């Protein structure tokens, strides 16, 4: 079953558009999230390098570093801060307690004042509500991890043992490693838990109306810092894994995050961690919205695809159908219809090529028909030529045969010389006829090429007239020359042949003591040559026919006084090979032959 090209294009276009839509849907819902995560991680890694370079310039300025962290968040929507080698915030002096340790069993801290950062032990919003326990002069119990001369507090409470604040991450991991029901063993001696009693000498707390420092506002970020510190302090192997940039995938409250931890060293060899965290929630929300959006988009896109595919198919197929109809007519040799060219593309080129093909086929077929007609005409001409030659040769052969019979029978032997002269004259005429026939056949063969020369036409005319002086003198004719010195481009030998023929005809058909006028008339790019003789005019119906072979227009132009009947036919071919106009007209006093030649271009 034959299917319409419109239907095929419609199905193909629809399938293509739906495939593109499906690829976009799968790409955005399946691969876009991974692309987004990888791209964001790559961007943050690059931005961390820039942050590190700026941090190196302001590492000891709390205000400068805080501004860098805030600017980083504003530009990249990523929380960032710096931690010391123990995992504590480097700048946390704005939210801490100063505690003087009472005499205790640990001589390293007895009677010393230590700083206790509060960001890891309590919620800053709770502190702003006002807590009498954190006021100056209050006694306090501190539980912490001792590392040499440093202590990391992770619990605060009353001297009676009730803990009010704790770092849950450190407390949890410390409990897992050193259960409270067992005393610390030798294998846990590198991070023993100690208790210190003291009095609060100074507390740096935020009032109810004070703004919350930027880094403390994100509780998830602070929890990740606590978790990192707990792993760093209580897992000896963990610190060895953070030798270069470490990227963690974290999920809190159903929201995915990327955590970046990069260790750097200052000029003195001190270790600092750049800690950054970014949320991946926007991409998850975007994916969910895209999935819901695609339901509506798919319905709209499907309708649009069907309409566009149908219109596109019709638009593309219409010129093809028109081309098909036109080529069918061309196949039936009907070249009247053309394909309209309405676009500048391959279809427009195809339409143009079909039109050109149609024109060329039409032209070649017409030329072929003309060639066939010419061939038929040539066939007729050959028959006429053979008939004319037979007729022309019949008379001289009859004359020769009659003379030979008379000489053979011995009749009128006293006129022997007369009959021999008659036969010689007829043989000469036959020879001239054969030469003209061969000359004309050579021109009509289509293989003869003319070599063009540059010569003066006036000098050539004078030369021809001088050669024909005897013929002119026999009839006592007067030659009038009205010539201009003109340089022409033609084949000099063949133009001489034309001039000899025209002037000879003028001499032959001029009455005795008549006149012949030869003139040259200059035009812009060519010159006209006229040969006019006084005498009988040619009947108008014969003016075109005199150029034919063996044609004689009237009884006065018969074989006895004329030539072979091929001279004008030869002149016609010569002038046609020069591609110049020629002709013959009757004048008031006789007949004028004329032809044109191209002048030589002036440098």
């Amino acid at each position: 079953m034959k299917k319409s090209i419109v239907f095929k294009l419609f199905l193909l276009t629809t399938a293509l558009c739906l495939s593109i839509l499906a690829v976009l849907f799968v790409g955005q819902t399946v691969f876009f999230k991974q692309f987004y995560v990888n791209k964001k991680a790559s961007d943050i890694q690059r931005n961390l390098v820039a942050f590190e370079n700026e941090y190196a310039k302001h590492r000891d300025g709390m205000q400068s570093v805080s501004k860098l962290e805030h600017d980083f968040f504003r530009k990249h929507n990523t929380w960032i801060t710096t931690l010391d080698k123990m995992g504590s915030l480097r700048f946390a002096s704005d939210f801490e307690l100063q505690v003087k340790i009472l005499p205790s069993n640990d001589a390293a801290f007895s009677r010393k004042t230590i700083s206790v950062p509060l960001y890891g032990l309590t919620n800053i919003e709770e502190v702003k509500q006002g807590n009498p326990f954190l006021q100056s002069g209050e006694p306090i119990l501190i539980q912490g991890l001792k590392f040499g001369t440093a202590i990391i507090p992770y619990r605060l409470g009353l001297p009676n043992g009730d803990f009010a604040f704790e770092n849950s991450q450190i407390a949890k991991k410390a409990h897992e490693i050193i259960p409270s029901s067992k005393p610390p063993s030798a294998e846990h001696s590198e991070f023993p838990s100690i208790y210190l009693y003291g009095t609060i000498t100074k507390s740096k707390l935020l009032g109810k109306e004070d703004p919350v420092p930027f880094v403390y506002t994100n509780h998830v970020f602070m929890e990740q810092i606590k978790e990192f510190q707990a792993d760093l302090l209580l897992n000896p192997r963990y610190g060895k894994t953070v030798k270069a940039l470490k990227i963690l995938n974290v999920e809190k409250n159903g929201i995915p995050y990327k955590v970046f931890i990069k260790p750097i060293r200052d000029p003195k060899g001190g270790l600092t961690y750049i800690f950054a965290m970014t949320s991946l929630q926007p991409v998850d929300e975007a994916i969910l919205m895209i999935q819901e959006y695609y339901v509506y988009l798919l319905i709209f896109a499907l309708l649009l695809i069907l309409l566009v595919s149908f219109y596109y198919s019709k638009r593309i197929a219409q010129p093809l159908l028109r081309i098909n109809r036109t080529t069918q007519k061309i196949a039936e040799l009907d070249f009247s219809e053309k394909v309209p060219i309405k676009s500048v593309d391959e279809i427009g080129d195809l339409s143009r090529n079909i039109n050109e093909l149609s024109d060329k086929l039409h032209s070649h077929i017409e030329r072929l028909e003309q060639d066939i007609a010419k061939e038929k005409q040539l066939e007729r001409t050959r028959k006429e030529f053979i008939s004319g030659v037979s007729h022309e040769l019949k008379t001289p052969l009859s004359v020769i045969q009659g003379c030979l019979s008379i000489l053979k029978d011995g009749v009128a032997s006293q006129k022997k010389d007369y009959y021999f002269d008659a036969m010689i004259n007829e043989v000469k005429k036959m020879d001239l006829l054969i030469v003209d026939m061969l000359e004309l056949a050579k021109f009509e063969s289509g293989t003869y090429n003319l070599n063009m020369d540059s010569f003066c036409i006036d000098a050539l005319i004078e030369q021809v007239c001088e050669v024909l002086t005897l013929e002119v003198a026999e009839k006592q004719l007067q030659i009038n020359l009205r010539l201009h010195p003109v340089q022409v481009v033609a084949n000099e030998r063949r133009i001489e042949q034309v001039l000899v023929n025209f002037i000879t005809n003028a001499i032959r058909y001029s009455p005795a003591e008549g006149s012949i006028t030869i003139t040259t008339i200059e035009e812009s790019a060519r010159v006209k040559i006229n040969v006019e003789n006084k005498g009988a005019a040619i009947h108008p119906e014969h003016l075109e026919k005199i150029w034919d072979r063996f044609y004689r227009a009237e009884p006065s132009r018969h074989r006895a006084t004329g030539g072979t009947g091929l001279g004008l036919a030869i002149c016609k071919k010569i002038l046609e090979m020069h591609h110049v106009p020629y002709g013959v007209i009757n004048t008031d006093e006789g007949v004028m032959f004329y032809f044109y030649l191209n002048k030589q271009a002036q440098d």
Side-chain angles (χ1 to χ4, degrees):
M1 180 178 177
K2 184 178 180 180
K3 294 183 179 180
S4 169
I5 188 173
V6 177
F7 180 69
K8 291 180 180 179
L9 283 173
F10 173 74
L11 288 182
L12 181 61
T13 308
T14 303
L16 178 62
C17 292
L18 289 176
S19 300
I20 294 174
L21 189 63
V23 169
L24 291 176
F25 176 76
V26 173
Q28 290 188 1
T29 55
V30 177
F31 300 108
F32 176 73
K33 180 177 181 179
Q34 189 60 40
F35 170 79
Y36 172 85
V37 171
N38 293 337
K39 182 67 169 59
K40 190 163 187 178
S42 176
D43 291 343
I44 292 176
Q45 291 181 53
R46 184 173 63 254
N47 296 326
L48 283 178
V49 174
F51 178 86
E52 178 183 350
N53 295 332
E54 290 298 320
Y55 172 77
K57 301 176 184 178
H58 310 90
R59 67 174 64 247
D60 296 325
M62 177 178 176
Q63 297 297 328
S64 299
V65 173
S66 178
K67 184 177 184 304
L68 283 177
E69 294 173 353
H70 191 273
D71 290 343
F72 192 90
F73 174 79
R74 181 173 51 83
K75 291 180 181 178
H76 311 297
N77 196 27
T78 301
W79 295 84
I80 192 168
T81 190
T82 55
L83 310 177
D84 60 21
K85 65 180 180 179
M86 307 299 291
S88 301
L89 288 176
R90 287 198 66 231
F91 302 104
S93 59
D94 55 348
F95 186 39
E96 66 178 6
L97 298 177
Q98 296 290 331
V99 178
K100 185 175 182 179
I101 304 302
L102 299 177
S104 63
N105 296 330
D106 196 321
F109 300 100
S110 179
R111 301 183 183 278
K112 288 186 177 181
T113 300
I114 64 172
S115 297
V116 180
L118 294 176
Y119 71 88
L121 300 169
T122 183
N123 190 314
I124 197 168
E125 282 79 8
E126 295 178 0
V127 175
K128 291 180 67 174
Q129 299 300 324
N131 193 321
F133 169 69
L134 300 177
Q135 301 303 315
S136 297
E138 294 294 327
I140 192 170
L141 172 62
I142 301 173
Q143 184 179 6
L145 297 177
K146 180 183 177 183
F147 294 90
T149 59
I151 182 172
I152 305 298
Y154 66 91
R155 278 181 177 173
L156 296 180
L158 297 174
N160 61 7
D162 293 333
F163 292 104
F165 306 105
E166 73 173 4
N167 185 321
S168 58
Q169 298 293 339
I170 295 179
K172 178 180 177 182
K173 289 185 180 294
H175 179 73
E176 293 173 354
I177 297 173
I178 311 172
S180 58
S181 60
K182 297 180 181 180
S185 61
E187 64 180 10
H188 300 132
S189 60
E190 64 270 23
F191 40 80
S193 177
I194 64 171
Y195 294 88
L196 298 175
Y197 294 90
T199 302
I200 299 174
T201 60
K202 185 179 181 181
S203 62
K204 293 183 179 180
L205 306 176
L206 296 175
K208 293 183 179 180
E209 304 299 329
D210 294 336
V212 178
F214 174 73
V215 73
Y216 303 141
T217 57
N218 190 327
H219 300 297
V220 176
F221 184 51
M222 296 306 296
E223 286 297 317
Q224 289 303 123
I225 293 175
K226 296 176 187 179
E227 186 172 344
F228 168 70
Q229 186 180 32
D231 288 330
L232 187 65
L233 296 177
L234 300 176
N235 187 350
R237 299 185 185 89
Y238 184 80
K240 298 178 182 180
T241 65
V242 192
K243 296 297 184 180
L245 178 65
K246 187 179 183 68
I247 302 176
L248 303 175
N249 294 313
V250 178
E251 184 171 338
K252 296 293 182 180
N253 301 321
I255 300 175
Y257 295 90
K258 280 275 186 184
V259 176
F260 301 83
I261 307 169
K262 184 175 184 181
I264 61 175
R265 291 191 178 274
D266 58 28
K268 297 179 180 181
L271 181 62
T272 301
Y273 294 96
I274 297 177
F275 194 91
M277 186 185 75
T278 186
S279 172
L280 300 180
Q281 183 181 17
V283 67
D284 289 337
E285 294 178 350
I287 294 298
L288 292 174
M289 290 300 295
I290 287 175
Q291 291 175 346
E292 295 181 7
Y293 169 72
Y294 259 98
V295 175
Y296 302 99
L297 178 62
L298 185 62
I299 297 174
F300 173 76
L302 185 59
L303 295 175
L304 183 62
I305 287 171
L306 293 176
L307 292 175
V308 171
S309 299
F310 181 75
Y311 173 77
Y312 167 79
S313 304
K314 289 286 289 183
R315 185 67 180 266
I316 293 295
Q318 187 174 7
L320 296 178
L321 295 175
R322 183 66 181 269
I323 289 172
N324 183 50
R325 290 195 300 269
T326 303
T327 51
Q328 286 178 348
K329 290 190 175 183
I330 292 175
E332 298 170 357
L333 301 182
D334 181 2
F335 304 99
S336 59
E337 186 172 344
K338 301 294 181 185
V339 182
I341 302 173
K342 297 182 178 180
S343 59
V344 185
D345 53 17
E346 286 77 4
I347 291 181
D349 292 340
L350 177 61
S351 302
R352 187 180 298 103
N353 293 336
I354 293 225
N355 290 338
E356 291 179 0
L357 176 64
S358 175
D359 292 338
K360 289 182 179 179
L361 282 175
H362 191 198
S363 174
H364 284 297
I365 289 175
E366 285 184 342
R367 193 178 305 165
L368 183 60
E369 291 175 347
Q370 292 173 1
D371 291 342
I372 293 173
K374 285 182 180 179
E375 188 63 30
K376 292 181 179 178
Q377 179 63 31
L378 282 175
E379 185 63 26
R380 288 195 298 269
T381 302
R382 290 190 191 99
K383 292 179 180 179
E384 292 174 0
F385 182 77
I386 293 172
S387 176
V389 170
S390 301
H391 176 74
E392 291 296 325
L393 291 178
K394 182 178 182 181
T395 300
L397 288 174
S398 298
V399 171
I400 293 172
Q401 185 178 10
C403 292
L404 290 174
S405 297
I406 291 173
L407 292 174
K408 181 179 180 182
D409 295 339
V411 179
S413 57
Q414 69 278 9
K415 294 185 177 180
K416 182 186 299 183
D417 293 337
Y418 170 79
Y419 289 114
F420 274 117
D421 290 339
M423 287 190 291
I424 291 171
N425 187 45
E426 292 300 328
V427 169
K428 288 181 178 179
K429 289 182 179 180
M430 290 175 61
D431 180 65
L432 182 60
L433 176 63
I434 292 171
V435 170
D436 287 348
M437 287 170 56
L438 292 175
E439 188 90 350
L440 184 60
K442 178 171 65 176
F443 292 149
E444 290 182 339
S445 66
T447 60
Y448 182 78
N449 295 320
L450 290 176
N451 295 321
M452 297 300 179
D453 309 316
S454 176
F455 59 92
C456 289
I457 188 62
D458 56 308
L460 182 61
I461 293 173
E462 291 174 352
Q463 179 182 333
V464 171
C465 290
E466 186 176 349
V467 171
L468 298 175
T469 300
L470 292 177
E471 285 85 347
V472 172
E474 285 179 2
K475 298 188 70 172
Q476 299 180 355
L477 299 174
Q478 181 179 358
I479 303 295
N480 300 316
L481 298 178
R482 299 171 183 171
L483 308 177
H484 296 281
V486 181
Q487 198 82 6
V488 296
V489 177
N491 187 289
E492 185 174 5
R493 179 168 172 267
R494 294 306 174 188
I495 296 301
E496 180 183 359
Q497 189 175 353
V498 172
L499 288 170
V500 169
N501 195 285
F502 282 4
I503 297 174
T504 300
N505 277 347
I507 294 172
R508 184 177 296 125
Y509 297 112
S510 294
E513 300 181 356
S515 65
I516 298 174
T517 303
I518 304 174
T519 61
T520 58
I521 303 173
E522 284 193 72
E523 297 181 1
S524 59
R526 59 186 183 176
V527 60
K528 182 180 181 183
I529 299 95
N530 299 325
V531 178
E532 181 181 2
N533 68 283
K534 293 183 179 181
I538 302 174
H539 197 279
E541 68 180 24
H542 301 305
L543 286 176
E544 294 298 326
K545 296 180 181 180
I546 63 172
W547 304 99
D548 297 340
R549 305 177 185 88
F550 308 119
Y551 187 82
R552 292 180 175 85
E554 49 185 291
S556 63
R557 296 174 182 262
H558 53 77
R559 181 178 178 273
T561 60
T564 62
L566 296 175
L568 290 179
I570 293 173
C571 292
K572 173 185 176 183
K573 293 303 298 182
I574 291 173
L575 294 173
E576 285 179 351
M577 292 172 72
H578 278 79
H579 306 290
V580 294
Y582 64 92
V584 58
I585 58 173
N586 290 318
T587 63
D588 294 338
E589 297 181 346
V591 178
M592 183 178 74
F593 284 82
Y594 68 90
F595 65 95
Y596 289 84
L597 290 177
N598 295 321
K599 295 167 64 176
Q600 184 180 18
Q602 299 295 325
D603 294 335

